[in-house]
Amino acid sequence: MEIVICPDIGAVGQAAADSFERVIQRKPAAVLGLATGSSPVPLYDELESRSRNGQVSFRDVRAFSLDEYIGLPVGHPETYKEVVNREFTTRMDIDPARVLGPNGNAPDLKVEAADFERAIINAGGIDVQVLGIGSNGHIGFNEPGSSLGSRTRVKTLLPTTRRDNARFFNDPDDVPHHVITQGIGTIMEARRIVLMATGEQKAEAIARLVEGPISAMCPGSILQLHPNARVILDEAAASQLALADYYRYTYENKPVWQRL
Ligand code: F6R
């Protein structure tokens, strides 16, 4: 696991965009994994400007999102389909037909989950997956207690997660209770993972992810077993890391050949 501690949110976005750009340069038809929420916004901002100045092109890329609320009306601005469309698809040179997420209004959610898993496999698997982390350690919507080998399925949100996400809704009661999310096993199959976290409210979850025991009580801690995971943080999110100075030293003195 590579820990990158950045001076500010803009630098977090740039470091994450560097990872994405490298993947797309090596493989123009790369398969991207997208997240929603606040954490990846600096990445999408940076990718938009790199796409506009011709530094990177999404023309041949395909993308899959991580998760979706169940039961929000089609077209609701907070469905993750709409969020991904707003934050990513409409800002890059990508054909919207090449961006897919699980359908939270599918008549049979088990079939939907299996079809979604198959679509990722048929695309060749995810080359680079961006993740945020919940304040309780969730990745995707795999809440604490999720099986570390889980596949795409329906999950129930914890009240704390519904409260965290209420800021996106007019009425906190409108936050759905259920979601369909890639499983932890699904996420772990991505070839590269870039997790972004900013702000003090993420510091404890990040310390548990990076330095705690691997446990279903902190689903993000499974990333300790991933062969190619970068955790990109601002100073506040890194503030509870026991080895923060070591990570800084390691990153600053890393030979180019050793970079993930
Ligand atoms: C979103 C997702 C979640 C968020 C997490 C952090 O697609 O899968 O795991 O990444 O809840 O949310 P923010 O970034 O809004 O703090």
Side-chain angles (χ1 to χ4, degrees), residues 98-119:
R98 298 177 76 82
V99 183
L100 189 70
N103 177 2
N105 286 307
D108 186 330
L109 289 162
K110 271 196 179 157
V111 171
E112 174 63 17
D115 287 350
F116 185 66
E117 289 264 334
R118 210 168 307 112

Side-chain angles (χ1 to χ4, degrees), residues 122-259:
N122 290 344
I126 290 176
D127 290 298
V128 56
Q129 172 71 56
V130 64
L131 295 176
I133 185 164
S135 51
N136 62 14
H138 71 225
I139 52 172
F141 271 137
N142 297 282
E143 296 283 39
S146 295
S147 158
L148 296 178
S150 50
R151 312 301 308 185
T152 302
R153 71 218 181 290
V154 171
K155 287 293 291 179
T156 305
L157 295 180
L158 275 163
T160 47
T161 300
R162 292 187 65 241
R163 219 172 301 131
D164 283 349
N165 285 6
R167 68 191 192 280
F168 296 114
F169 289 80
N170 292 333
D171 181 342
D173 288 341
D174 291 347
V175 183
H177 288 265
H178 294 97
V179 292
I180 178 167
T181 179
Q182 284 189 34
I184 298 177
T186 320
I187 292 170
M188 284 293 281
E189 282 171 10
R191 292 182 189 93
R192 284 183 184 70
I193 291 186
V194 174
L195 184 139
M196 306 169 69
T198 54
E200 188 134 23
Q201 71 284 4
K202 296 296 172 71
E204 189 190 336
I206 286 297
R208 294 173 69 208
L209 181 154
V210 176
E211 297 175 338
I214 296 172
S215 160
M217 289 307 284
C218 177
S221 63
I222 193 71
L223 298 183
Q224 293 175 31
L225 293 179
H226 196 282
N228 199 332
R230 280 189 108 188
V231 175
I232 307 178
L233 309 169
D234 68 357
E235 290 286 349
S239 60
Q240 291 188 30
L241 288 171
L243 298 181
D245 286 343
Y246 172 66
Y247 306 135
R248 276 194 203 91
Y249 175 85
T250 309
Y251 188 68
E252 279 159 17
N253 293 285
K254 203 167 253 195
V256 171
W257 52 262
Q258 205 192 17
R259 286 176 193 253

